[in-house]
Amino acid sequence: DKIVHTGDTDTAIRFSGADTITAETGGSERARIDSSGRLLIGTTTEGASGADQLTVASSSHGGITVRSGSSSNGNLMFSDGTSGAAEYAGYIQYEHDNNRLNIGSNGSTRVNIESAGTVKVNQNLSVTGIATVGSAVTISESGIEASGIGITVANINGGKIGGRRNIIINGAME
């Protein structure tokens, strides 16, 4: 049930079961293509349903490395078609030439993480809960809190702030 390298009997290609091929090194199975066409690396058990065509497993730290040139991009694309923007409807892209991580949806970049750690959102930002901006400003449902800094507001709802409107001097509102 196996093809063995001459002089290296613990390295083999095996036909371990019905419609299954495995690769062994050092006497241990390292990769398997099962009867459903799934590629399993470091395991004989497929991953979660809906994401099991490629399963990589390790008993310690594990992962997948995408290596590309120092002035090129490394990409993980999510596609629902075979041409145009459908081939990259969603994506995670790392630009090595400027050390930026891009996250895309609907064929366009939506979030950038710059090399200095700055996060840029390319469309409207919606935050549920509490958002902390830097170390001194917190935005939540109850308002904006700032410690040790001033907040400058240029306009509210498109109108400039200015003048002396609705100033309460005393209880009689004079």
Side-chain angles (χ1 to χ4, degrees):
D1 72 343
K2 63 183 171 179
I3 300 170
V4 180
H5 184 271
T6 302
D8 187 5
T9 58
D10 62 355
T11 300
I13 298 172
R14 294 195 67 171
F15 307 97
S16 60
D19 300 320
T20 301
I21 299 171
T22 64
E24 295 180 0
T25 62
S28 297
E29 182 177 313
R30 306 299 183 179
R32 168 182 293 244
I33 301 175
D34 71 9
S35 60
S36 297
R38 298 176 291 215
L39 175 57
L40 312 175
I41 300 173
T43 184
T44 59
T45 307
E46 70 278 358
S49 175
D52 62 354
Q53 288 77 20
L54 171 62
T55 301
V56 178
S58 175
S59 60
S60 62
H61 301 292
I64 299 172
T65 298
V66 176
R67 182 172 289 120
S68 52
S70 61
S71 61
S72 300
N73 299 339
N75 301 295
L76 177 60
M77 303 295 184
F78 303 95
S79 171
D80 60 2
T82 58
S83 64
E87 289 188 294
Y88 55 90
Y91 58 86
I92 300 171
Q93 177 185 67
Y94 192 81
E95 297 177 9
H96 289 285
D97 58 349
N98 59 19
N99 295 313
R100 180 171 66 189
L101 180 68
N102 303 312
I103 301 172
S105 68
N106 199 26
S108 297
T109 300
R110 305 298 183 191
V111 176
N112 305 102
I113 303 174
E114 304 289 333
S115 62
T118 305
V119 177
K120 295 182 178 179
V121 178
N122 296 340
Q123 295 293 323
N124 294 332
L125 175 63
S126 176
V127 177
T128 301
I130 297 174
T132 301
V133 181
S135 61
V137 179
T138 301
I139 303 169
S140 68
E141 294 85 9
S142 60
I144 300 173
E145 296 178 27
S147 60
I149 63 168
I151 296 179
T152 302
V153 179
N155 63 64
I156 294 179
N157 295 331
K160 293 197 180 269
I161 300 173
R164 296 174 51 100
R165 294 182 228 144
N166 301 326
I167 295 179
I168 301 174
I169 296 174
N170 59 33
M173 294 177 58
E174 295 176 343

